Amino acid sequence: MRKGLRRPRCAGASALLNLIFAAGLLAFPVALFAQSAPAQPAATKPPTAQPSVPQSPDARTPTPGAPSAMHKYERAADLIPDTAVGALTLEKAGARLAQFRRHPFYQSILDSEIYRLLQADAGFNQAKFGVFGFSAAAGVDTWEMFETLLGDNLTIALEPGESGKPVAWAVCVTDKPEVAAKLAAALNPMAGLMKDGKPDETRSREVEGVRGYQINADAYYAVFDNVIAITNRAEALERTIRMRNASSGRLSDMDRFKQARSRTTPDALAWGYVNVDGLRQRFKDRWIPEKIPNGFVSMVFGGIIESARDADTASADLSLGRDGLSVNVFLHGKSPLPDSHKAFFVPAKDAADWSSLSLPRALARVSLRRDFHELWTQRDKLVSAKGLSELSEFAGNVSNLLGQMDFGDDFLAQTGCDLQFLSNLQTFEPGRAPMPQFPAFGMILPLTDVKQFGQRLESATMMAFSFISMQAAQNDKNALLVDVDSYKGCKLICAKYPDAPADASPLPQRYNFAPTAAIVKDHFVLGSTPQFIKDVIDAAENLPSSAASGAARAGSYANVKADELTAILKANLEPLVAKKMLEENKTKSQAESEWNLLLKLLSSTEGLAISIDRAEEGLKATARLALKPGAIPQ
């Protein structure tokens, strides 16, 4: 705690501390499930006698001798200074972990294939046995140790450092202070912090009756009252100790911190806060510029970027129910969105639209609702000079491909606001699948006047395919054969590679692709295969009578389905295993085990959906991982 403290003599001290927290991180995802699990009555057992562990005189008491009155804190943020610009708080994680281990789901995990695969991992076993050894030395149950470390209220906070390295706090308010004292009493001699049965004065310091310890050059800790405090700076730990009786200057006193909490889910498992204004002032020379240098990023995500650039605070929360895991993020804006950026947030239509389109074997969807033509006319206000040059070059290339059709005045002026990118799994004849296999994908763009513009767009697409094929032939690459087909009254403009030899198996990678375009109703559809276009045509015949609701109607939306993702990964498992062996120097067994673990985890989920949209006074983003029924038992 004082300047000039020498490095720890115990080389394993840092490893031991990291081991405890690594194991805690392994246990924490398991504790998530307890949020939605009903409590089970604990079996009544007689108290288990614990080995006697000598307590260091400073483990919990301010001075050697008889303990003084303990002050009980409720919020870790009471012991973190208001100069912290970001904080993550876990609520009642220790109690949820205790509840979880009494639930039948815990035993089902121990009996699961996922746990069996984890046990085959050397790192997992090393952490497990290390934690068991440490808890035994402390004379506490391993679960009780985790419950103590997670505590009733745990906050991890960051403050920008003068040298560029942030100052970090992890402050835990625990309902098991006696266990915290045992853990400290066990850690101190193991880490070489005791000398002749007393605290080593070169590795510790007393501040206002509380002794803090230096684990290594980047880890300092103290246990006092019902608090465990860990920091990466000696002065940061001292500030926390001196805040025990403070009534101001605390993170919990800040109005922004309180407001951020009010915007999060009340019963969230975890919630976060960021003082964006503080970051802006600290990094004003490196803050988000008013005009984005990347033209493409600005035209697609400029509204989201502007919302982040102008925000004063950000808040987030994590919640778990029986049907899934949700993360909500809110950026609170200081001022209304500029007129130049309003085209990024176009109101959704009330009528039925193609957001409800459902393809067979659907893998993923990305939808962007923007007034792209208006954004193109406003590009001087959105994009830097470098970005404008990139956009001009792109527009020129597209115009050339489309037979001198002007990208802005002709193409974008005739398009609607709902741009979609869809993907679904391909089907191949037995023995005729390429390797690796890719899903089909395509773009769907609404047209404002299909009668006037549709034919021009078909002709331009035919010219573009022919031009691409000619360029490939000139560069000694495989050229495309351009043809016209029809399906259910729709004209299909197709480009495909010549048929592969009958005995070729697997087929080369290029046979995943056969670019095809069509006008389907009042939409222009460009896909990677003819079958993708046909799937869109079939689905468009049966659009629901009402528009999609909820997250799918957000200004920006993306989802991926787990079963289809699992299927495409399994189809490519052989090259994926080989790639992991080559790049990570794994054995075949190790590589297969890691991929099997991921596939097993995916099998418990239905998919992931992300939505982002403008909300009152800011921007809201939600990510939801849906779980399959029964993934968390009743």
Side-chain angles (χ1 to χ4, degrees):
M1 294 287 293
R2 60 181 62 162
K3 293 184 179 179
L5 289 180
R6 54 190 177 82
R7 296 263 182 163
R9 292 166 298 191
C10 176
S14 177
L16 177 62
L17 192 66
N18 291 336
L19 186 62
I20 294 173
F21 282 98
L25 290 175
L26 285 171
F28 178 64
V30 175
L32 291 175
F33 292 94
Q35 184 181 15
S36 62
Q40 300 291 323
T44 304
K45 297 191 301 182
T48 303
Q50 298 288 359
S52 177
V53 178
Q55 300 222 2
S56 61
D58 56 287
R60 183 162 53 92
T61 59
T63 55
S68 62
M70 177 186 295
H71 181 84
K72 289 191 175 182
Y73 296 89
E74 294 182 359
R75 300 174 300 182
D78 289 341
L79 295 162
I80 296 173
D82 58 10
T83 50
V85 295
L88 173 67
T89 298
L90 309 182
E91 303 279 5
K92 301 187 183 302
R96 288 182 171 125
L97 182 61
Q99 179 184 342
F100 166 77
R101 64 166 170 157
R102 297 193 297 267
H103 193 272
F105 185 47
Y106 169 55
Q107 186 59 47
S108 71
I109 286 182
L110 296 182
D111 297 336
S112 69
E113 178 70 10
I114 293 176
Y115 190 75
R116 187 191 68 80
L117 292 169
L118 273 176
Q119 285 184 306
D121 183 78
F124 175 79
N125 284 312
Q126 181 182 4
K128 182 175 69 173
F129 290 121
V131 167
F132 286 165
F134 179 75
S135 62
V140 300
D141 176 76
T142 302
W143 281 98
E144 192 174 34
M145 179 180 72
F146 284 137
E147 292 164 17
T148 303
L149 294 174
L150 290 172
D152 193 55
N153 187 270
L154 170 64
T155 296
I156 300 169
L158 293 175
E159 172 189 286
E162 295 299 327
S163 62
K165 183 178 180 181
V167 181
W169 284 267
V171 179
C172 171
V173 172
T174 180
D175 57 355
K176 299 178 183 293
E178 69 287 348
V179 178
K182 288 183 178 182
L183 295 175
L187 176 62
N188 289 345
M190 293 178 68
L193 304 178
M194 305 295 290
K195 188 175 183 180
D196 298 328
K198 298 180 179 180
D200 188 341
E201 294 295 333
T202 66
R203 302 280 300 284
S204 66
R205 180 185 170 192
E206 192 171 284
V207 177
E208 295 187 354
V210 174
R211 186 167 293 274
Y213 291 90
Q214 179 187 20
I215 297 291
N216 62 26
D218 295 310
Y220 301 80
Y221 95 99
V223 174
F224 57 90
D225 297 325
N226 62 332
V227 174
I228 304 170
I230 303 172
T231 74
N232 64 340
R233 301 278 183 87
E235 61 272 20
L237 183 58
E238 182 172 335
R239 288 160 69 189
T240 287
I241 294 173
R242 293 189 185 280
M243 295 184 73
R244 289 184 303 153
N245 299 312
S247 58
S248 63
R250 306 174 301 180
L251 181 61
S252 57
D253 296 321
M254 293 188 67
D255 288 339
R256 287 181 177 177
F257 184 77
K258 297 174 184 177
Q259 291 166 2
R261 181 63 177 116
S262 70
R263 298 185 189 110
T264 59
T265 306
D267 60 347
L269 175 69
W271 67 279
Y273 151 84
V274 177
N275 182 351
V276 182
D277 258 345
L279 287 175
R280 183 186 295 108
Q281 294 169 14
R282 179 68 175 80
F283 301 106
K284 56 185 177 181
D285 295 335
R286 289 175 284 170
W287 194 244
I288 304 169
E290 185 175 354
K291 293 185 176 182
I292 306 301
N294 187 305
F296 301 102
V297 170
S298 178
M299 293 296 288
V300 177
F301 302 110
I304 299 172
I305 294 171
E306 176 63 20
S307 298
R309 191 184 74 84
D310 187 59
D312 55 14
T313 56
S315 56
D317 62 64
L318 170 69
S319 300
L320 180 74
R322 290 196 177 281
D323 57 348
L325 182 71
S326 296
V327 176
N328 299 296
V329 178
F330 185 79
L331 297 175
H332 184 264
K334 296 194 300 179
S335 55
L337 198 68
D339 291 342
S340 57
H341 288 72
K342 290 182 178 178
F344 285 106
F345 302 100
V346 181
K349 297 178 181 179
D350 293 329
D353 59 74
W354 285 44
S355 63
S356 305
L357 191 75
S358 179
L359 299 185
R361 310 176 305 283
L363 169 63
R365 174 195 298 268
V366 175
S367 62
L368 302 169
R369 192 170 63 252
R370 314 277 193 273
D371 187 341
F372 287 103
H373 183 247
E374 176 63 19
L375 291 173
W376 184 258
T377 62
Q378 297 278 351
R379 63 189 183 279
D380 290 351
K381 300 176 182 179
L382 305 173
V383 188
S384 69
K386 177 179 178 295
L388 287 173
S389 176
E390 292 174 351
L391 290 177
S392 296
E393 182 179 357
F394 172 77
N397 291 335
V398 173
S399 295
N400 289 333
L401 280 174
L402 298 179
Q404 300 306 312
M405 179 186 294
D406 186 82
F407 178 71
D409 294 337
D410 290 336
F411 183 74
L412 290 181
Q414 295 292 334
T415 61
C417 298
D418 290 291
L419 174 63
Q420 293 192 75
F421 298 92
L422 275 65
S423 177
N424 68 346
L425 301 187
Q426 298 195 59
T427 57
F428 299 98
E429 296 179 7
R432 301 295 288 172
M435 185 58 69
Q437 292 182 29
F438 296 142
F441 55 89
M443 175 190 75
I444 301 177
L445 186 65
L447 303 176
T448 57
D449 190 346
V450 67
K451 290 183 179 180
Q452 177 182 349
F453 191 60
Q455 190 172 359
R456 287 187 63 193
L457 198 52
E458 287 178 340
S459 299
T461 303
M462 176 77 79
M463 293 178 62
F465 284 174
S466 299
F467 180 77
I468 293 171
S469 180
M470 182 180 66
Q471 288 288 100
Q474 290 176 349
N475 292 305
D476 294 326
K477 295 182 179 179
N478 294 286
L480 293 164
L481 302 178
V482 182
D483 198 4
V484 177
D485 198 356
S486 65
Y487 181 74
K488 293 187 176 181
C490 294
K491 180 180 178 181
L492 275 60
I493 301 170
C494 310
K496 68 173 187 176
Y497 292 104
D499 292 339
D503 58 349
S505 181
L507 299 184
Q509 176 178 308
R510 64 178 179 272
Y511 285 97
N512 280 291
F513 309 104
T516 306
I519 303 295
V520 183
K521 294 187 175 180
D522 57 350
H523 285 66
F524 174 64
V525 185
L526 176 64
S528 64
T529 70
Q531 186 58 53
F532 177 87
I533 302 296
K534 293 176 181 178
D535 288 339
V536 171
I537 294 171
D538 291 340
E541 290 182 339
N542 301 296
L543 282 175
S545 58
S546 59
S549 60
R553 297 301 296 133
S556 302
Y557 175 77
N559 74 11
V560 61
K561 295 186 176 180
D563 285 347
E564 285 70 19
L565 178 59
T566 300
I568 197 67
L569 289 174
K570 285 183 176 179
N572 295 287
L573 194 57
E574 184 177 339
L576 289 172
V577 168
K579 185 173 185 291
K580 183 175 282 288
M581 292 171 61
L582 181 64
E583 294 183 354
E584 301 180 23
N585 197 28
K586 304 274 188 180
T587 66
K588 184 177 181 180
S589 176
Q590 289 173 328
E592 287 178 340
S593 179
E594 290 182 14
W595 275 111
N596 287 335
L597 176 59
L598 174 61
L599 293 173
K600 193 66 179 178
L601 290 171
L602 282 174
S603 69
S604 299
T605 68
E606 288 189 343
L608 174 68
I610 300 172
S611 62
I612 305 174
D613 214 347
R614 190 73 183 174
E616 186 178 357
E617 297 185 333
L619 187 84
K620 183 174 182 179
T622 297
R624 185 174 182 278
L625 179 66
L627 300 175
K628 289 183 176 177
I632 300 180
Q634 297 290 334

